[in-house]
Amino acid sequence: MRPFEYLAKVRIGQAKIMLAQEKYTVNEIAQIVGYNDCSYFCSVFKKHEGISPAEFRALNCPDSK
């Protein structure tokens, strides 16, 4: 695994934890984990997880609907 791939994996892992907590918006989470562009964060997240951050939150946080 290349360093860039590892970094993305770690960032997405942290984002998943934060998405499940519902404390921050998707845009805030993108900034916190190191992505300046929310759209890019969403595309990287979807590439790794197969669903968007909003879909992940909806599946993991029933109260977020």
Side-chain angles (χ1 to χ4, degrees):
M1 181 180 294
R2 296 181 298 171
F4 185 75
E5 293 168 340
Y6 174 77
L7 181 59
K9 183 178 178 180
V10 170
R11 286 175 169 173
I12 296 303
Q14 185 62 38
K16 286 169 60 178
I17 293 167
M18 295 174 78
L19 284 164
Q21 295 173 349
E22 294 189 86
K23 185 176 178 181
Y24 301 102
T25 66
V26 172
N27 191 42
E28 290 170 331
I29 292 170
Q31 294 286 316
I32 291 168
V33 299
Y35 291 96
N36 293 326
D37 183 359
C38 187
S39 297
Y40 181 65
F41 164 71
C42 290
S43 69
V44 172
F45 190 95
K46 190 164 187 169
K47 178 181 174 187
H48 282 261
E49 297 300 315
I51 57 175
S52 72
E55 291 170 324
F56 180 87
R57 176 171 272 171
L59 290 171
N60 291 283
C61 303
D63 298 337
S64 68
K65 293 179 182 176

